[in-house]
């Protein structure tokens, strides 16, 4: 019978999530000290679900759960775990125990665990490893963080061009030490430079006597070892790659990146933008409270600065407001809608920059489009706001002032929404990090200035 | 020599993007009517880059470019193209031509093109297809949009359990009509129900006489044909899948989903949230202006409603503001920082819900954490704002009022930021779509109410 890990009724896992009642059961067994039952419950779980279980229980229960799970909490489960939760658990282990876990993993997963340790622990864990594992991991750690060199595995299959398919198959069958899970076979020259690649399905469909050179595809996408992981992910996605060869500065084949690592990166990077835009840092639910406070308060301070700037603009018109309090009542509408319109444009621009859809070739077209959209949306909103405000306060002059200010601010918003991210990108600043602050600062300041300034300049009075 | 499509100096493609100078060259050749040169330039491009080129040129040049490219603009390039750009091009083709393109594609890519056509064109294109292609596509179209049935391909390799590895390899070599690109071989019983799966690397590493039953893995993740693509993507990511079997309601194997399709879905879904939160709809740079206006103006109207609500709250305190214009100057600070704090919390909650990290098991812990963070951040910001406002206006009472209102509003923001997305999620409303409006409405209204209300209630006067 097929065992479907996710769809059996009352399964511990439903819709890719651990069933909350299942988690409660485990916690109850844990609190009752019933280790047997914890193990029985956890037995059918996939390593990814063991990792989830560890994340779902309260922090105080994690050490006890880890002890109860024993071998079920294996290296694969550690590899799947949230960074914060994993670091907590790893901190409680001896370097020798960490070394044992790490040895069971591919280099990329091992590096992911070791790179987060502090320098002393890192040295001790590395010392506990066999020489060749240690060398591989030390080499990986020598590459910049978030580069291809950190993500790649060294375990790969490479064969010479002059072999036949039969020789390849025999080589694979006769060498038990080779990797068991791979998706492509790389063809290399005598200097270990990649010259081609074969998908396994091609190897399987080809008669034994055919030469490798006749099956392999010569064009292939190579990943330089120092390429940023975000670029690697875009390349995988664009060319629909399952795995890709990684080469060093001299063009030698040094590793392979497989798509399962890329899935994590794409989701992380795409999800990061939303968190960065809001100034929420990593935005990890498992982040300790104090870390979260530190990250967020920094952006709140920046926001405080821009809010004070906007207040100073209002202060310029204190006399006008004193004369006519309706202006104070209405001014947040102009700022708020400008902010919203700017955020819409900015979100589109930030995404388009991240996915390489907004480029030098189409920038001016995009700016032209945003001007058109802003004028149309501005007109619609201005007519409504102008009518509502004019009628409510029985003051046609006020209606005109707010309508004109609204069109102006939505136009400012459209321009800021596209120009701010573009400018940051040109200066190699991540547009997702800083755009939001600049855009809403611009729309707040300009919103108050246009509305109050126009009121003052046209001599608006409560009588209209 | 290795041809690296992306890294040769002066290549048309650099860092996964088309070189702007290359695009200019193509456009210049096109405008000069030099079809030969256009073809020469485009010759080395991958289908994904041909698609990019089509997106980068101005809309008016696309028909001419398509004509110049001829066969280079093949079915694969169409499959990679942005929906809006593709629809424009497809609209200009005869149904017979579309049919010819579609026949060259796997079912999933063919469906992606056909599902966007209007009903008449769809019928005509389907009529032009051979009976079996038509049946496969019609079946795919019978599944809901964005379900596994739309994303899967029907082309797959399935073998009976009683075969040996040798029989499998011979079967693959002797049947030229089978799929050429596949990553797993599925094992089925006589009723075509999946009973196991073999990665190709295992098949290659196993001697011919070994039975399939001894190599295959019995546990496998099955995808129900009606599962939403977002859930499918989460499952691929969680279990690091390269491909997965899709089964119908009776448990029969009907198709396979491969990870390259999932890469697109993950990036789309993760990127969508940022666009939804800002009310920017699809947020596609290629979306026609009028579509963009329609999508965005809808959210601006909603925002107008919430902004008017906030203004009504200010209106309640018109008399207090009239007496003391400093309140009008300062009130946007309280609202703005509350909005920012709420957006931070909301972004984290929306991402955590989308990635299944925020669940029933840890909701109360998360709310508790947000309260702590809000109190700490609120205290820091309140002290600064209180001091600045109190000193600037030489009014200690005013300093106290704004400080207390600020702590209150940041606490409201923290609660709204986590409770709004959670509540929407419980009611099966996408938290990314509606959260932002509710959160900022709450922080605006409460910000003005707390600050002005506190000023009025404590009898704040310009004299302090």
């Amino acid at each position: 019978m097929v065992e479907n890990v996710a769809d059996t009724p009352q399964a511990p896992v439903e819709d890719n999530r651990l069933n909350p009642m299942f988690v409660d059961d485990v916690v109850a067994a844990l609190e009752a000290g019933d280790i047997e039952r914890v193990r029985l419950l956890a037995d059918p779980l996939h390593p990814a679900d063991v990792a989830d279980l560890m994340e779902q229980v309260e922090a105080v229960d994690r050490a006890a759960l880890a002890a109860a799970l024993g071998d079920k909490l294996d290296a694969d489960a550690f590899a799947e775990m949230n960074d914060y939760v994993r670091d907590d658990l790893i901190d409680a282990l001896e370097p020798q125990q960490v070394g044992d876990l790490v040895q069971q993993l591919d280099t990329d997963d091992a590096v992911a665990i070791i790179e987060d340790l502090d320098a002393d622990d890192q040295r001790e864990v590395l010392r506990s490893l066999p020489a060749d594992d240690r060398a591989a991991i030390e080499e990986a750690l020598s590459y910049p963080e978030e580069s291809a060199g950190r993500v790649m595995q060294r375990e790969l299959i490479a064969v010479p061009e002059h072999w036949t398919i039969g020789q390849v198959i025999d080589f694979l069958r006769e060498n038990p030490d080779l990797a068991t899970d791979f998706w492509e076979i790389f063809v290399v020259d005598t200097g270990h430079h990649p010259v081609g690649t074969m998908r396994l399905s091609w190897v399987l469909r080809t008669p034994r006597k055919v030469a490798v050179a006749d099956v392999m595809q010569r064009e292939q996408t190579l990943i330089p070892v120092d390429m940023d992981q975000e670029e690697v992910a875009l390349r995988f996605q664009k060319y629909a790659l399952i795995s890709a060869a990684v080469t060093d500065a001299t063009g030698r084949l040094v590793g392979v990146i497989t798509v399962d690592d890329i899935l994590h990166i794409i989701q992380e990077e795409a999800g990061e933008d939303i968190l960065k835009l809001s100034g929420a840092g990593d935005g990890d639910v498992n982040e300790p409270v104090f870390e979260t406070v530190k990250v967020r308060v920094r952006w709140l301070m920046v926001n405080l600065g821009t809010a004070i700037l906007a207040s100073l603009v209002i202060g310029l018109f204190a006399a006008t407001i004193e004369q006519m309090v309706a202006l104070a009542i209405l001014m947040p509408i102009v700022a708020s809608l400008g902010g919203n319109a700017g955020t819409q444009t900015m979100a589109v621009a930030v995404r388009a920059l991240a996915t390489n859809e907004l480029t030098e070739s189409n920038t001016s077209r995009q700016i032209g489009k945003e001007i058109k959209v802003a004028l149309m949306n501005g007109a619609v909103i201005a007519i409504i706001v102008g009518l509502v405000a004019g009628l409510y306060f029985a003051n046609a002059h006020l209606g005109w002032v707010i309508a004109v200010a609204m069109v102006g601010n939505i136009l400012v918003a459209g321009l800021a929404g596209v120009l701010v991210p573009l400018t940051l990108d040109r200066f190699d600043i991540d547009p997702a990090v800083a755009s939001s602050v600049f855009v809403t600062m611009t729309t707040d300041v300009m919103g108050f200035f246009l509305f109050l300034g126009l009121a003052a300049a046209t001599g608006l009075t409560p009588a209209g």
Side-chain angles (χ1 to χ4, degrees), chain A:
Chain A
M1 278 305 299
V2 177
E3 239 193 282
N4 184 328
V5 275
D7 278 319
T8 335
Q10 285 142 355
V13 183
E14 266 179 288
D15 290 341
N16 302 327
R17 294 160 230 233
L18 286 178
N19 192 323
M21 288 182 314
F22 172 82
V23 178
D24 291 345
D25 276 2
V26 173
V27 173
L30 202 60
E31 280 167 4
D34 189 348
I35 307 299
E36 277 307 300
R37 181 155 168 80
V38 172
R39 286 199 190 161
L40 190 75
L41 284 166
D43 188 56
L45 296 184
H46 183 281
D49 292 313
V50 174
D52 267 8
L53 178 61
M54 202 52 94
E55 292 166 21
Q56 297 286 323
V57 303
E58 300 281 337
V60 290
D61 291 331
R62 285 186 191 138
L65 179 58
L69 287 173
D71 290 349
K72 185 75 196 170
L73 184 65
D74 59 6
D76 287 327
F78 271 99
E80 293 286 339
M81 212 175 288
N82 175 281
D83 288 0
Y84 292 103
V85 177
R86 183 173 63 204
D87 290 353
D88 270 0
L89 282 175
I90 297 269
D91 281 347
L93 296 177
E94 295 300 311
Q96 180 61 48
Q97 291 173 294
V98 180
D100 290 346
L101 279 173
V102 159
Q103 277 183 61
Q104 299 164 42
L105 294 171
D106 285 335
T107 15
D108 55 335
D109 290 329
V111 167
I113 290 182
I114 291 180
E115 68 185 358
D116 289 338
L117 299 176
D118 55 39
D120 283 350
D121 289 345
Q122 212 173 73
R123 219 166 312 132
E124 274 203 74
V125 170
L126 285 171
R127 208 176 304 146
S128 80
L129 294 178
D132 52 342
D133 284 359
R134 184 168 59 210
I137 289 171
E138 280 176 343
E139 199 205 317
L141 289 174
S142 74
Y143 298 115
E145 272 187 53
E146 310 215 321
S147 71
R150 292 279 180 114
V151 183
M152 74 183 184
Q153 301 161 208
R154 271 141 203 80
E155 298 80 9
L156 57 80
I157 310 288
V159 300
E161 194 173 0
H162 61 79
W163 278 12
T164 63
I165 292 296
Q167 280 175 294
V168 172
I169 294 178
D170 293 343
F171 169 73
L172 292 175
R173 289 197 183 133
E174 288 158 15
N175 289 280
D177 288 344
L178 295 175
T180 44
D181 291 320
F182 51 94
W183 309 101
E184 261 180 299
I185 292 175
F186 298 104
V187 184
V188 290
D189 65 16
T190 49
H192 216 70
H193 303 101
V195 292
T197 174
M198 297 188 291
R199 292 190 171 185
L200 298 190
S201 55
W202 306 343
V203 176
L204 273 170
R205 301 212 46 196
T206 305
R208 286 182 66 90
K209 59 176 185 296
V210 175
V212 163
D214 294 334
V215 179
M216 73 184 193
Q217 174 185 324
R218 281 175 198 279
E219 295 80 28
Q220 64 176 315
T221 305
L222 302 179
I223 310 283
V225 72
D226 56 357
M227 181 180 254
D228 183 80
Q229 63 175 21
E230 193 166 0
E231 284 295 316
V232 176
L234 282 174
R235 194 166 286 191
F236 262 75
Q237 198 196 7
K238 181 162 182 184
Y239 299 114
L241 305 175
I242 299 293
S243 64
V246 181
T247 52
D248 66 13
T250 65
R252 287 164 49 92
L253 177 65
V254 290
V256 57
I257 295 182
T258 50
V259 71
D260 51 321
D261 302 311
I262 296 298
L263 284 182
H264 284 276
I265 294 168
I266 288 185
Q267 201 182 38
E268 254 176 48
E269 302 271 354
E272 258 175 24
D273 284 353
I274 200 176
L275 298 165
K276 284 188 205 151
L277 272 177
S278 68
D282 273 353
D284 192 305
V285 290
N286 293 296
E287 191 178 50
V289 171
F290 197 61
E291 281 295 307
T292 307
V293 168
K294 273 200 299 188
V295 172
R296 294 197 199 166
V297 85
R298 221 178 299 156
W299 282 105
L300 291 176
M301 301 286 239
V302 175
N303 185 227
L304 180 59
T306 64
I308 289 177
L309 195 65
S311 289
L312 290 174
V313 173
I314 301 174
L316 296 178
F317 302 99
T320 317
I321 295 174
E322 214 148 26
Q323 239 189 12
M324 190 175 174
V325 78
L327 295 176
I329 295 174
L330 291 174
M331 68 187 183
I333 298 181
V334 181
S336 170
L337 279 151
N340 194 335
T343 306
Q344 290 178 336
T345 308
M346 178 193 66
V348 174
V350 166
R351 279 304 295 159
L353 283 168
T355 54
N356 283 343
E357 284 178 302
L358 186 54
T359 64
E360 279 179 52
S361 311
N362 62 8
T363 297
S364 58
R365 194 193 326 163
Q366 205 52 33
I367 295 172
K369 178 182 164 182
E370 288 299 342
I371 293 175
K372 285 185 215 155
V373 171
L375 288 175
M376 286 193 249
N377 280 343
V380 173
I381 298 293
I383 290 171
I384 303 176
V385 165
L387 282 174
V388 170
L391 292 172
Y392 186 87
F393 290 97
N395 188 331
H397 187 172
L398 178 61
W400 274 110
V401 166
I402 196 169
V404 173
M406 188 64 87
V407 172
N409 203 28
I410 288 182
L411 187 59
V412 166
L415 288 173
V418 64
L419 290 177
V420 166
L422 271 171
T423 309
L424 292 171
D425 188 59
R426 291 282 183 279
F427 285 102
D428 270 332
I429 301 169
D430 183 349
V433 173
S435 292
S436 194
V437 179
F438 287 114
V439 171
T440 54
M441 183 184 76
T442 310
T443 54
D444 276 357
V445 167
M446 287 304 290
F448 294 135
F449 183 77
L450 285 171
F451 179 54
L452 298 175
L454 211 57
T458 62
L460 178 61
T461 62

